[in-house]
Amino acid sequence: MPRPKKFRFVKREPGVTFFKPQGIPLRVLEHAHITVDELEALRLSDLMGLSHEETAKQLKVSRPTVTRMLARAHQMVADALVNGKAIQIQGGDYILEGCECVCPKCGARWSAPAGELGQVCGSCSDTETESSGS
């Protein structure tokens, strides 16, 4: 049985989820896919200039994981730029930074803004949730 994926902590979801070459309709373009957590790794490492170690601390994953995420994201961006593809940003194993809530009754997980109280589980409607702030 494979090891469960570890969630990455992301500051915010991207406001723009597609980039495409000018003058070509999106429907006729091939897409290169980047996940939200890979975009966050690009933002932290390439845009903000953090080291892989510092980026790993922000995302709450290991440094080798960050290196793999960045290699995949760089590959996708290069593919899109060289081959004229659209870049689609979606998905990934991430939690918006704040508070990760866990329902002790059914085990469901979700994120909520840090310090927000009175969370209700969307799966079983239990109100006795546990939270771990970041």
Side-chain angles (χ1 to χ4, degrees):
M1 186 161 117
R3 184 175 180 264
K5 286 215 173 209
K6 187 172 183 180
F7 289 102
R8 283 85 172 185
F9 285 78
V10 173
K11 292 269 187 218
R12 64 182 179 278
E13 290 185 323
V16 176
T17 58
F18 266 105
F19 290 89
K20 69 173 199 70
Q22 183 177 358
I24 304 171
L26 185 60
R27 68 181 175 275
V28 300
L29 289 171
E30 287 185 54
H31 299 162
H33 298 273
I34 296 176
T35 62
V36 174
D37 48 321
E38 289 169 345
L39 180 66
E40 182 73 351
L42 282 173
R43 183 183 76 81
L44 293 169
S45 182
D46 296 344
L47 185 62
M48 295 183 65
L50 299 181
S51 69
H52 288 197
E53 190 68 38
E54 293 166 323
T55 300
K57 286 179 185 173
Q58 291 279 327
L59 295 172
K60 296 181 174 67
V61 295
S62 69
R63 191 215 34 86
T65 297
V66 167
T67 301
R68 285 190 299 274
M69 290 170 66
L70 287 170
R72 185 181 178 287
H74 288 151
Q75 175 74 35
M76 290 292 121
V77 170
D79 180 34
L81 293 174
V82 170
N83 297 311
K85 296 181 179 181
I87 300 172
Q88 182 178 15
I89 304 163
Q90 73 173 24
D93 299 309
Y94 70 95
I95 292 176
L96 292 176
E97 194 161 305
C99 174
E100 180 186 359
C101 299
V102 180
C103 178
K105 191 173 186 180
C106 72
R109 294 178 176 270
W110 69 94
S111 63
E116 190 171 298
L117 300 174
Q119 291 293 311
V120 177
C121 176
S123 298
C124 70
S125 300
D126 188 40
T127 57
E128 297 298 321
T129 59
E130 299 171 358
S131 64
S132 59
S134 54

